[in-house]
């Protein structure tokens, strides 16, 4: 992980899922903004799936941000027009944390 200040060049928005009631008594997921942060976004592997109910293409990313204690798996990152689902958080006590993300595309 780079400690260089200029490594965090992408401006991204952290979003957490929130349950909201719908009109028919059920619930839906809405995304609540938790703030803009500077990040380093590194592309990883991509794969295709052939399962009936799965997305045909999934791209992996590793996103590095300054330490935050509230980021969890299940949140997502809005990076321009892309939405990256946070699958895992690597926190080794360093000043920066790594978020393992997946971008699902149809």
């Amino acid at each position: 992980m780079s400690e260089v200040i200029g490594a965090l060049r992408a401006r991204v928005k952290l979003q957490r899922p929130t349950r909201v009631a719908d009109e028919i008594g059920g619930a839906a997921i809405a995304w609540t903004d938790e703030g803009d942060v500077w990040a380093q976004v590194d592309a990883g592997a991509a794969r295709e799936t052939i399962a009936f109910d799965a997305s045909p293409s999934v791209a992996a990313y590793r996103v590095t941000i300054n330490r935050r204690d509230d980021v969890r798996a299940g949140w997502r990152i809005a990076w321009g027009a892309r939405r990256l689902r946070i699958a895992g958080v690597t926190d080794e006590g360093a000043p920066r944390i790594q978020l393992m993300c997946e971008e699902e595309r149809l």
Side-chain angles (χ1 to χ4, degrees), residues 1 3 64-69 89-98:
M1 183 167 32
E3 295 299 326
T64 304
I65 63 171
N66 287 324
R67 169 178 286 292
R68 286 181 59 132
D69 294 329
V89 179
T90 303
D91 184 356
E92 298 173 352
R96 295 189 178 156
I97 59 175
Q98 293 184 355

Side-chain angles (χ1 to χ4, degrees), residues 40-62:
Q40 177 181 345
V41 181
D42 296 311
R47 61 184 164 82
E48 291 186 18
T49 58
I50 56 173
F52 174 71
D53 60 346
S55 297
S57 172
V58 177
Y61 292 87
R62 184 178 70 222

Side-chain angles (χ1 to χ4, degrees), residues 5-105:
I5 293 174
L8 306 180
R9 296 181 181 179
R11 193 71 170 162
V12 301
K13 183 180 300 289
L14 292 172
Q15 298 177 325
R16 69 175 168 82
T18 305
R19 277 189 186 270
V20 294
D22 63 12
E23 305 84 40
I24 59 173
I29 299 294
W31 293 96
T32 305
D33 293 343
E34 290 295 321
D36 293 338
V37 296
W38 289 103
Q40 177 181 345
V41 181
D42 296 311
R47 61 184 164 82
E48 291 186 18
T49 58
I50 56 173
F52 174 71
D53 60 346
S55 297
S57 172
V58 177
Y61 292 87
R62 184 178 70 222
V63 180
T64 304
I65 63 171
N66 287 324
R67 169 178 286 292
R68 286 181 59 132
D69 294 329
D70 58 343
V71 180
R72 302 281 181 260
W75 285 29
R76 76 178 184 183
I77 294 173
W79 178 40
R82 297 177 179 193
R83 299 297 176 260
L84 308 177
R85 182 179 57 83
I86 299 174
V89 179
T90 303
D91 184 356
E92 298 173 352
R96 295 189 178 156
I97 59 175
Q98 293 184 355
L99 312 173
M100 304 309 150
C101 302
E102 292 182 342
E103 177 188 24
E104 297 179 358
R105 293 185 241 171

